[in-house]
Amino acid sequence: MAPMLQARTNLALCAERGRLFAAGGEDAHNHILSSVEMYDPESGTWTQVADLKQARRSFALTILRPGVLLAVRCWPVLFVCGWGTRGGMGRRAPA
């Protein structure tokens, strides 16, 4: 597996249809990241997709529906994230 475009720790990771999504985390200088990368096992490469609107670390990430990631913080706040061509990442989910 190829290394990610941005080395990171404390990231969130999830999979959908064989692709991996790595979001947020911290770089080697402890800067909190907003970048999101997608790994395609067919090409063996990581590609940057739409950033989170807010940099974050130590959170959970899952697929809400095809094309939409759900990022969940440690308290009851949800963020809906999409990597398609419609809108950016980090829209607050309706209550």
Side-chain angles (χ1 to χ4, degrees):
M1 177 182 282
M4 285 189 281
L5 302 173
Q6 170 72 57
R8 60 187 76 215
T9 61
N10 298 319
L11 67 150
L13 184 71
C14 70
E16 187 223 18
R17 297 180 185 174
R19 298 175 297 181
L20 294 177
F21 292 87
E26 295 176 66
D27 67 12
H29 304 286
N30 297 321
H31 296 120
I32 300 174
L33 304 171
S34 61
S35 60
V36 181
E37 299 180 31
M38 179 183 70
Y39 179 75
D40 180 354
E42 290 185 22
S43 66
T45 59
W46 288 94
T47 304
Q48 186 164 349
V49 295
D51 285 353
L52 298 166
K53 285 192 174 180
Q54 180 182 30
R56 61 188 70 244
R57 65 177 178 209
S58 303
F59 62 103
L61 188 69
T62 191
I63 304 296
L64 184 61
R65 61 179 181 270
V68 180
L69 299 173
L70 177 66
V72 183
R73 297 293 303 242
C74 295
W75 52 86
V77 177
L78 303 179
F79 293 90
V80 178
C81 308
W83 65 85
T85 57
R86 305 174 95 198
M89 300 192 113
R91 296 184 309 259
R92 187 178 283 264

